[in-house]
Amino acid sequence: MYEVLVVDDDFMVAEIHRRFVDKTPGFTTVGVARTAAEALESVRTAHPDLVLLDVYLPDMSGLDVLQRLRAEGNAVGVIMITAAREIDTVSRALHGGASDYLVKPFDFTQLQEKLENFRRRARALESQSGADQSLIDSLFGGKGKNPEPSRLPKGLSAETGRLVLDILRSKGELSSTECAELAGLSRVSVRRYLEHYLSEGLLEVRLEYGGAGRPVRRYRPAPR
């Protein structure tokens, strides 16, 4: 479970963001801060895994909050949440160490994709198998040698699709239930991604026969 601090001076907006976070499997809100001072104190005391940080705060810019956190050596994940579209603001967020940037207004699906992207990177960094080129490419946004479909059917997101593929590539072979548990998603949702990537030739399937009932479909990456 990843713990998230929501930072926004607008009470209603902060509440919406809190609900979005708590609605996402594998994420929970540990606090809401209205000012930069509250945000800094909450990060130091609550030790969240991720901060949803607004740029425009009454006492200090969210970008300055980010700068202070990094100056203190705090590597907490930060997604900038703001109405600011100016390229210099985006550039400062990027170079200041923000892991992502989301422009208001946004819907639940857009935030969920950002959270899934954070989860994917966090799990990759927790890997005990070392960093090969495909892992490095995934962390830095590259595709490396892993083939990816250019488009997904309606209702499927690219970020969640990459999460499912990354889990399979790290584990080798999984059933849809096992993959769903690792991804923090529903089995029905994960099954849709697995079947799509199977049809694209990115995955192979093996039927595992056990006791009574249907055989279990076990998915694995197709040889490259």
Side-chain angles (χ1 to χ4, degrees), residues 20-39:
F20 280 175
V21 170
D22 292 342
K23 189 178 176 182
T24 304
F27 291 85
T28 185
T29 306
V30 293
V32 176
R34 310 271 189 256
T35 67
E38 288 180 9

Side-chain angles (χ1 to χ4, degrees), residues 163-184:
L163 172 65
V164 169
L165 286 175
D166 287 343
I167 289 173
L168 272 175
R169 286 164 181 159
S170 66
K171 297 299 182 181
E173 182 181 281
L174 294 169
S175 68
S176 58
T177 300
E178 292 167 339
C179 188
E181 290 175 354
L182 291 170

Side-chain angles (χ1 to χ4, degrees), residues 8-222:
D8 199 295
D9 64 331
D10 186 308
F11 173 81
M12 292 303 297
V13 171
E15 177 63 15
I16 292 171
H17 294 173
R18 183 193 67 77
R19 292 178 183 177
F20 280 175
V21 170
D22 292 342
K23 189 178 176 182
T24 304
F27 291 85
T28 185
T29 306
V30 293
V32 176
R34 310 271 189 256
T35 67
E38 288 180 9
L40 289 167
E41 181 62 22
S42 295
V43 170
R44 293 163 184 155
T45 57
H47 306 292
D49 302 296
L50 177 66
V51 181
L52 302 187
L53 180 58
D54 191 19
V55 167
Y56 297 121
L57 298 172
D59 53 340
M60 185 192 303
S61 166
L63 293 169
D64 292 328
V65 172
L66 174 61
Q67 185 177 32
R68 287 199 181 188
L69 290 172
R70 297 301 183 245
E72 294 173 2
N74 195 315
V76 63
V78 175
I79 297 178
M80 302 304 298
I81 305 289
T82 179
R85 298 170 183 265
E86 297 85 355
I87 192 63
D88 60 330
T89 302
V90 177
S91 178
R92 283 189 62 192
L94 177 64
H95 292 294
S99 58
D100 221 323
Y101 195 102
L102 191 54
V103 177
K104 297 177 183 177
F106 54 84
D107 58 26
F108 170 64
T109 301
Q110 290 172 297
L111 177 58
Q112 187 179 42
E113 288 189 2
K114 299 296 186 182
L115 294 177
E116 295 294 355
N117 196 33
F118 169 81
R119 189 210 312 264
R120 178 177 61 85
R121 287 194 300 266
R123 284 183 170 169
L125 289 170
E126 292 166 3
S127 171
Q128 300 298 313
S129 59
D132 59 13
Q133 188 60 54
S134 63
L135 173 60
I136 293 170
D137 287 338
S138 72
L139 291 172
F140 284 89
K143 294 182 180 179
K145 295 181 180 179
N146 294 326
E148 303 284 355
S150 57
R151 292 188 179 183
L152 287 167
K154 185 176 181 181
L156 301 185
S157 78
E159 295 296 346
T160 303
R162 280 193 289 271
L163 172 65
V164 169
L165 286 175
D166 287 343
I167 289 173
L168 272 175
R169 286 164 181 159
S170 66
K171 297 299 182 181
E173 182 181 281
L174 294 169
S175 68
S176 58
T177 300
E178 292 167 339
C179 188
E181 290 175 354
L182 291 170
L185 301 168
S186 73
R187 187 189 67 81
V188 173
S189 176
V190 167
R191 179 71 178 268
R192 289 186 63 199
Y193 287 95
L194 294 173
E195 289 296 323
H196 169 71
Y197 290 136
L198 179 65
S199 69
E200 291 279 306
L202 295 179
L203 301 180
E204 295 180 338
V205 69
R206 177 177 69 85
L207 298 181
E208 182 176 80
Y209 293 88
R214 287 182 171 184
V216 175
R217 292 171 68 82
R218 299 188 64 80
Y219 302 84
R220 61 175 177 261

